[in-house]
Amino acid sequence: MVYTWITLTLVGSILLFWLYKLMCKCFCRAFCIWKNQTQGALFTREATILAVNTLKLGKKPLLELLLLFENLSGQTIQRKIRVWDSKPELSRFVTDQKVQVTINSSKRPKDPISLTSGNCRISFAFLLGCSLKIILYSIGCYIFMGEALERITSNPEKYESILARSEIWQMGLIFAGVILFLHFLLQKIGLVENGSNRAEHWDLLYNGIYASATLDSYKDTGAMVNDNPVVQFSYTFKDFSGVECKGSDRKVVGKLEVGALSEIDHVDIMYLADCPEISRLTENLENNDLSSFTRFLLLLVLFVFSSVIIVAFYQNIF
């Protein structure tokens, strides 16, 4: 029954993973905002709209706003957020317009920025809709796995033989190995951040302090992103008390820009006031779209793989 257990474990893990993602999508954001609102973990800031990009047209267009506002340390930062404009006729989101944003400090290390919309109220319709999604998914998984287990237990030798010849468990093991390797590789070159790095990134962006650092040296790491080299910068700066600190960070540099690096004397960085040894280039903190896009691609690949495994399991069992 070895191949049967491997296959059932793989399919069960996939179904539980997407149940977790569905629950997070349905409940986490609204309930966390409501909870943190009562605990005083929300901070309101006035933001200036620097640019507006329309991602989707319609009665309620989807907009991407580039905002300029102060972080929790009073330093000016830029961030992008997406909003559905329910009243486009009011022209509420135009360049140089002022809007109120909320920083949810308890969402660390996830993106804590959202438009301020007053007190968060969780409607009955919202609860009902989310509950129905979870219930329907759970019932579907229960029926699917229940029927599969019933068929397997009725004739275990037959299905052990079928699953042994099947490519389901082989695909699962190979895919798991490839994903782990890619995740490790992307972390090494900085396209994906692990949990501790994301928390550090969050602290620097939303609690960090700006400084102008003297560039000591730079070197090509040998890694490439879209045929552009990844360069490591070493720099020196003084913190708010005048103590000299050293730091280093990596950055993707265009091939045409590599020759101009020798002319750079200073770089802008952000550091933590209570731990100046932790610092990063400001450009890396404010432009994290590539890391987010990479995580989205990994999740999309995982969804496609999950669908293939579930369909193959259904064809073998039913």
Side-chain angles (χ1 to χ4, degrees), residues 41-54:
L42 303 182
F43 301 88
T44 302
R45 294 289 187 272
E46 184 179 71
T48 302
I49 300 177
L50 299 181
V52 180
N53 182 25
T54 303

Side-chain angles (χ1 to χ4, degrees), residues 47-194:
T48 302
I49 300 177
L50 299 181
V52 180
N53 182 25
T54 303
L55 302 178
K56 185 177 181 180
L57 297 174
K59 294 182 178 180
K60 295 182 180 181
L62 177 61
L63 307 177
E64 183 179 69
L65 310 179
L66 177 61
L67 303 177
L68 181 72
F69 58 94
E70 292 185 351
N71 68 3
L72 300 178
S73 297
Q75 306 292 302
T76 303
I77 62 174
Q78 297 181 18
R79 295 301 290 163
K80 290 180 180 179
I81 66 170
R82 294 183 178 185
V83 298
W84 291 96
D85 189 1
S86 58
K87 299 179 180 179
E89 68 277 1
L90 298 181
S91 300
R92 296 175 298 173
F93 306 113
V94 295
T95 304
D96 296 328
Q97 183 79 22
K98 302 289 185 180
V99 293
Q100 295 292 319
V101 297
T102 296
I103 302 177
N104 186 352
S105 60
S106 65
K107 292 191 68 176
R108 174 182 179 270
K110 297 181 179 180
D111 189 4
I113 305 301
S114 61
L115 288 183
T116 303
S117 57
N119 292 330
C120 178
R121 297 181 177 86
I122 303 175
S123 67
F124 175 76
F126 173 81
L127 284 176
L128 181 61
C130 289
S131 299
L132 285 175
K133 291 179 183 178
I134 301 296
I135 291 172
L136 290 175
Y137 180 86
S138 300
I139 291 175
C141 291
Y142 177 79
I143 295 174
F144 178 75
M145 290 302 294
E147 180 66 23
L149 288 173
E150 183 177 345
R151 288 171 179 259
I152 290 173
T153 53
S154 65
N155 194 346
E157 291 78 12
K158 171 188 173 182
Y159 288 102
E160 172 72 7
S161 175
I162 292 175
L163 294 176
R165 297 193 305 270
S166 172
E167 298 178 350
I168 296 177
W169 63 273
Q170 300 176 38
M171 289 190 299
L173 294 177
I174 293 173
F175 182 79
V178 170
I179 284 293
L180 289 175
F181 173 76
L182 284 177
H183 195 269
F184 175 78
L185 179 63
L186 293 174
Q187 280 186 354
K188 279 296 184 183
I189 63 178
L191 291 182
V192 171
E193 297 176 311
N194 58 32

